[in-house]
Amino acid sequence: MQLLLLTTAILALLRPHPAIGAAIRPRNLKEITLDIVNANVAPDGFERSAVTANGTYPGPLITLTKGDFLRVTMHNRLTDPTMRRSTSLNFDGIFFSTQNSFHEGTPFVTTCPIGPNASFVYDVPLIEGQTGTFWYHSQLSVQYVDGLRGALIVYDPEDPSAHLYDVDDVNTIWQIGDWWHNSSIPLLAGYVATGIVPVSDSGTFNGVGRFQGGPEVPFFVQNVEAGKRYRFRIINQSARNVFTMSVDNHNLTIIEADGTTTVPHTVNQIIMLAGQRYSVVLEANQPVANYWINAPFVGGNPAVNPNQNATLSRAILRYAGAPAADPVTPMTLGPVNANELIEADLRPLAAQAAPTPDVNISLTLFVTPGKAQWNINNVSYLSPVVPTLVKVLDGATRAADFNVTENTFILPVNSVIEVDFAPNIDDEAHPFHMHGNNFFVVKSNSSDLVNTVNPLRRDVTGVGAAGVIVRFITNRPGTWFFHCHIFWHMQAGLATVMASGLDGTDRADIHPNRAWENLCPAYDALPADLQ
């Protein structure tokens, strides 16, 4: 703690600060206030205290337009001792510049958490023309299991796929997620004690769901008009669960994956890993009626939790003129003749060859049998006391400057990095997610094809038994978290930090503000039960 306080004090003296109270109002500013509060919610009919943004699950929708500057004022008002009372926001899939990397929100990598009764302002300028479907959530431990999740959509006024759909608005966003009746602290304690990953009680669709034996909470209803084409933006906000999406009697044409516009690709079923997003076009071309939107999920042994019935995870597609009633057809897990998405079949609309790698990294994932411990190259990630970015600003440039358990890879700037994941022998695909950047999926877990000509770029891909190769470019130097988006696995060590530009002048471009510099001393001064 003394080292951290000294480091922060030195940084405060060396770096220029904006004038206190100065009004800095960027062009195209979009301001949002999120009050992080404990609220009683009952998405599936079981009421519990949760961690919420503005008292709702999911949290408020954030909508932006290409080129906007997002400013989020976050007030931490958490009081419930059964859950973490500090917090930190992450904006999943949004690019961050080197200069703005201290706003990126990853605890102990780019920042320290924000304690109760404290506030922080996140400045998130949209860069590089980024548009698409994103989301925000708590990045602290497994706190977003308790409810702190919401959608973030960036609209493109000149969307090259606009001719394919008629409707794309706030009513065509589908947020699916796993829901848990118990709070994250005892769930995590049980995982640590047994090595068994917790199993959710239910799945939710836009904030509502059902569990076995529970009340018949009305299903979410998606209204459509015959003859119109709808762009549905689907976000898997789970901490663990894999959802399989389909709509009875309707095809889904994929036009976006994790913010990358794709060549239209039509399927009737999509498997979505935690953290993944897709935009699909659905044409309302069937007889006027009610149709099931199927969203069954898997995530651990359902026998562990008798509340779980994945068949109940669904919604209703209701044509104008149809009765306000459930579909008359049976609830199924999806189409009998499934034309399922194969990730390797997706192509970006703006094709770009994967550049030749300058650095090759091989990663092998391994779980310690019977323990809540995951390893990458025999290292189980542990968050450092001093955040990685603070160490970098204090002069850290070599691997020896970081603890082995930080699993930090030191990379050259403006280089192409290839990460080769060895085939994984466990029974589930691990959704690996890169913060602040995206990557070329040169080889998907869904195929043996190696595609360097026009691979998909996205920020979450499944790492599994077939092996995976991704490449990314270190053109935005910084300390970027690269981890499994099954947050139980991430908390158990399935994570790395990809750090680039540490030995160049890029580090001098980072000028954190005083509010950021004060976060670590304030957090370290908190008693353990408030952290």
Side-chain angles (χ1 to χ4, degrees), residues 304-498:
V304 173
N305 190 339
N307 286 336
Q308 189 177 106
N309 181 347
T311 308
L312 299 176
S313 180
R314 58 186 55 251
I316 298 171
L317 187 78
R318 177 169 296 155
Y319 279 68
D326 289 356
V328 296
T329 53
M331 296 182 185
T332 70
L333 299 180
V336 174
N337 298 311
N339 174 22
E340 190 172 281
L341 169 65
I342 298 172
E343 182 188 53
D345 290 343
L346 292 178
R347 298 287 182 268
L349 189 62
Q352 180 181 357
T356 303
D358 302 300
V359 177
N360 294 84
I361 299 173
S362 295
L363 299 182
T364 299
L365 315 184
F366 176 73
V367 62
T368 303
K371 293 186 177 181
Q373 181 177 345
W374 274 93
N375 310 273
I376 298 179
N377 292 0
N378 294 318
V379 176
S380 183
Y381 178 84
L382 290 175
S383 298
V385 175
V386 179
T388 312
L389 185 57
V390 172
K391 291 182 179 181
V392 168
L393 292 173
D394 199 34
T397 60
R398 305 164 301 142
D401 295 327
F402 303 94
N403 300 327
V404 171
T405 52
E406 293 178 65
N407 223 355
T408 298
F409 291 82
I410 310 301
L411 306 172
V413 69
N414 292 322
S415 299
V416 179
I417 314 301
E418 178 171 291
V419 180
D420 187 343
F421 288 92
N424 190 40
I425 61 173
D426 75 321
D427 62 353
E428 58 185 320
H430 297 273
F432 259 74
H433 168 56
M434 175 162 282
H435 284 216
N437 302 266
N438 62 13
F439 43 71
F440 297 88
V441 184
V442 172
K443 184 195 174 301
S444 168
N445 188 57
S446 66
S447 170
D448 290 331
L449 174 69
V450 176
N451 177 11
T452 60
V453 177
N454 57 351
L456 177 67
R457 293 186 77 168
R458 66 184 316 171
D459 56 74
V460 186
T461 194
V463 174
V468 169
I469 300 172
V470 301
R471 293 179 188 173
F472 64 93
I473 305 171
T474 57
N475 59 335
R476 288 190 296 277
T479 55
W480 308 117
F481 208 32
F482 189 34
H483 65 89
C484 179
H485 222 299
I486 298 173
F487 260 46
W488 305 105
H489 291 172
M490 181 201 74
Q491 182 65 21
L494 202 52
T496 68
V497 176
M498 297 292 169

Side-chain angles (χ1 to χ4, degrees), residues 33-39 50-60 74-75 78 89 136 147-150:
T33 298
L34 296 179
D35 292 324
I36 310 305
V37 297
N38 295 118
V51 177
T52 70
N54 294 5
T56 66
Y57 167 79
M74 190 268 279
H75 303 297
L78 297 174
L89 291 182
Y136 64 91
L148 181 44
R149 337 172 194 178

Side-chain angles (χ1 to χ4, degrees), residues 203-228:
T204 60
F205 193 113
N206 281 353
V208 295
R210 292 184 182 182
F211 66 95
Q212 185 67 26
E216 294 188 351
V217 177
F219 292 113
F220 174 82
V221 175
Q222 178 64 62
N223 293 299
V224 297
E225 295 181 21
K228 289 189 176 182

Side-chain angles (χ1 to χ4, degrees), residues 5-246:
L5 290 170
L6 178 60
T7 298
T8 305
I10 293 173
L11 291 173
L13 291 173
L14 295 180
R15 285 194 297 274
H17 301 281
I20 300 298
I24 302 174
R25 187 176 181 84
R27 293 179 57 192
N28 303 321
L29 178 66
K30 180 71 176 285
E31 295 186 272
I32 301 291
T33 298
L34 296 179
D35 292 324
I36 310 305
V37 297
N38 295 118
N40 288 335
V41 298
D44 61 3
F46 178 90
E47 186 174 79
R48 58 157 290 189
S49 176
V51 177
T52 70
N54 294 5
T56 66
Y57 167 79
L61 169 65
I62 298 176
T63 60
L64 304 169
T65 302
K66 181 179 179 178
D68 278 353
F69 189 113
L70 173 64
R71 175 168 290 164
V72 177
T73 300
M74 190 268 279
H75 303 297
N76 182 354
R77 301 291 184 257
L78 297 174
T79 58
D80 191 331
T82 68
M83 292 169 278
R84 293 291 291 266
R85 281 182 276 182
S86 292
T87 194
S88 187
L89 291 182
N90 179 247
F91 305 90
D92 243 36
I94 297 295
F95 296 159
F96 279 80
S97 67
T98 299
Q99 294 83 355
N100 204 47
S101 59
F102 65 96
H103 280 288
E104 193 270 333
T106 305
F108 312 110
V109 177
T110 57
T111 190
C112 275
I114 295 91
N117 298 314
S119 301
F120 189 74
V121 177
Y122 294 91
D123 277 350
V124 188
L126 297 178
I127 61 175
E128 300 183 18
Q130 193 173 26
T131 61
T133 305
F134 309 97
W135 62 300
Y136 64 91
H137 60 79
S138 168
Q139 187 67 38
L140 179 62
S141 182
V142 292
Q143 188 185 54
Y144 88 75
V145 164
D146 294 313
L148 181 44
R149 337 172 194 178
L152 192 164
I153 309 299
V154 183
Y155 293 102
D156 185 353
E158 300 177 343
D159 180 12
S161 299
H163 63 287
L164 298 174
Y165 56 85
D166 306 304
V167 182
D168 174 28
D169 58 28
V170 297
N171 299 308
T172 61
I173 300 164
W174 293 353
Q175 301 178 70
I176 53 177
D178 42 21
W179 189 247
W180 316 73
H181 292 174
N182 207 348
S183 60
S184 59
I185 289 179
L187 286 172
L188 183 58
Y191 178 34
V192 171
T194 65
I196 300 174
V197 181
V199 173
S200 72
D201 292 276
S202 61
T204 60
F205 193 113
N206 281 353
V208 295
R210 292 184 182 182
F211 66 95
Q212 185 67 26
E216 294 188 351
V217 177
F219 292 113
F220 174 82
V221 175
Q222 178 64 62
N223 293 299
V224 297
E225 295 181 21
K228 289 189 176 182
R229 302 164 301 167
Y230 292 82
R231 176 177 182 162
F232 293 116
R233 297 171 182 266
I234 313 174
I235 308 169
N236 185 350
Q237 299 175 344
S238 292
R240 180 179 190 182
N241 288 357
V242 181
F243 282 81
T244 300
M245 304 299 301
S246 65

